[in-house]
Amino acid sequence: MRYVVFNRKGGVGKSTIVCNLAAVNAMAGRRTLVVDLDPQGNATQYLTGHDPGELEPGLLEYFESTLGFKLLRSATDSEVIHPSHIEGLDLLPSSPDLQELQTKLETRHKIYKLRDLLDDLSRYDDVFIDTPPAVSFFTISALIASESCLIPFDCDEFSRRALFQLLETVSEVREDHNPRLRIGGVVVNQFQSRARLPHELVAELRDEGLPVLEPYLGSSVKVRESHRVHRPLVEYLPRHKLSAQFRELHAALPGTSG
């Protein structure tokens, strides 16, 4: 299964969700790949401790090869894949230079190249794709390449309003480019169980018929600690309450056996 975590709002926890769900997946014995499509490279840093652009070749070199700028031995060569410290969890790393490459990729109609690459990387059981906080060439590429779209929701009124625009984007990509794409669910993040507003906002999502996944992910400073040590929380502090929530959420994902 290919999952894309998509929200054009920044700060909703996309990279944290991607890396922790992927880590749970790999620790369950599934061959797992994280694709970091965000030029900021947060998933790359989280899983490896390397700054975006340090791990080469990666996504930048792959996309450059589709333009003829650089020739790899093969567009699907294993060199573009880098291991994390978690067994069974690999990374296709990002680079800040992806941002400058975007216009060239758009004008040369390379929107299907990520899907082609993942089709060739069939040795992985599951793929988790992190995306930039925008509707861009890379985001649309990820939606075209995926089967299940997970939408983080950080219990904010602006996020609730933006959800429907995101759903329209997913629907349009499904109709025009990728009939396999489905909404895998809304991932409620940074949920404060003792506050009234988060409960009200999530209830409104449910009343509007949106597929809200459970459990809701709480907030903890330990997440920032896990970022600092470059280890997903589920591996860094496996007994933490939030780690348990990630495992339960993984079991609730469409396409998992849990």
Side-chain angles (χ1 to χ4, degrees):
M1 179 69 78
R2 297 177 192 168
Y3 302 92
V4 56
V5 178
F6 168 48
N7 195 317
R8 64 183 183 181
K9 183 176 183 288
V12 296
K14 292 190 300 295
S15 301
T16 299
I17 291 169
V18 163
C19 293
N20 278 277
L21 290 179
V24 172
N25 202 65
M27 293 162 71
R30 305 277 293 178
R31 294 167 298 180
T32 307
L33 177 67
V34 167
V35 179
D36 188 358
L37 271 179
D38 189 348
Q40 295 179 86
N42 290 334
T44 296
Q45 290 181 305
Y46 195 11
L47 289 178
T48 69
H50 288 278
D51 290 335
E54 285 186 351
L55 293 176
E56 296 180 355
L59 272 172
L60 176 67
E61 287 76 21
Y62 168 70
F63 279 121
E64 285 180 334
S65 76
T66 70
L67 295 168
F69 293 170
K70 291 183 180 179
L71 296 177
L72 298 174
R73 291 196 301 272
S74 166
T76 61
D77 195 289
S78 60
E79 286 183 353
V80 300
I81 305 298
H82 299 260
S84 75
H85 68 279
I86 297 175
E87 183 177 358
L89 177 57
D90 291 339
L91 171 72
L92 187 47
S94 183
S95 168
D97 293 333
L98 282 173
Q99 190 69 44
E100 297 179 9
L101 198 63
Q102 184 168 218
T103 300
K104 296 183 178 70
L105 293 167
E106 288 174 336
T107 57
R108 296 280 293 276
H109 309 292
K110 302 297 183 178
I111 199 73
Y112 296 102
K113 288 302 181 180
L114 178 64
R115 184 185 67 183
D116 294 344
L117 174 62
L118 296 183
D119 285 345
D120 288 334
L121 291 170
S122 58
R123 64 182 179 272
Y124 291 101
D125 297 312
D126 303 291
V127 178
F128 292 81
I129 306 176
D130 194 13
T131 56
V135 177
S136 65
F137 169 87
F138 296 116
T139 304
I140 300 301
S141 293
L143 291 170
I144 289 173
S146 300
E147 299 163 275
S148 182
C149 180
L150 306 176
I151 303 176
F153 175 72
D154 61 351
C155 301
D156 178 83
E157 175 63 23
F158 297 129
S159 294
R160 189 188 72 82
R161 295 179 183 178
L163 267 178
F164 294 96
Q165 293 176 319
L166 296 176
L167 294 172
E168 289 178 6
T169 299
V170 172
S171 178
E172 185 176 355
V173 170
R174 179 172 61 243
E175 182 175 344
D176 293 344
H177 302 285
N178 181 10
R180 298 183 304 167
L181 181 63
R182 296 291 182 270
I183 298 294
V186 176
V187 177
V188 178
N189 193 29
Q190 302 173 32
F191 184 76
Q192 297 178 346
S193 60
R194 297 183 179 181
R196 178 174 56 86
L197 181 60
H199 288 278
E200 291 179 349
L201 291 173
V202 172
E204 289 176 6
L205 298 184
R206 291 191 174 280
D207 290 343
E208 289 159 349
L210 297 181
V212 179
L213 297 174
E214 293 188 45
Y216 311 149
L217 300 174
S219 59
S220 172
V221 70
K222 295 299 182 181
V223 172
R224 295 183 181 180
E225 286 185 18
S226 74
H227 293 166
R228 183 176 178 84
V229 298
H230 312 296
R231 294 171 60 188
L233 185 71
V234 295
E235 186 257 345
Y236 175 53
L237 295 172
R239 296 185 179 181
H240 193 276
K241 179 180 179 180
L242 187 51
S243 294
Q245 291 172 349
F246 274 117
R247 290 191 292 270
E248 291 177 37
L249 178 64
H250 176 269
L253 294 180
T256 64
S257 59

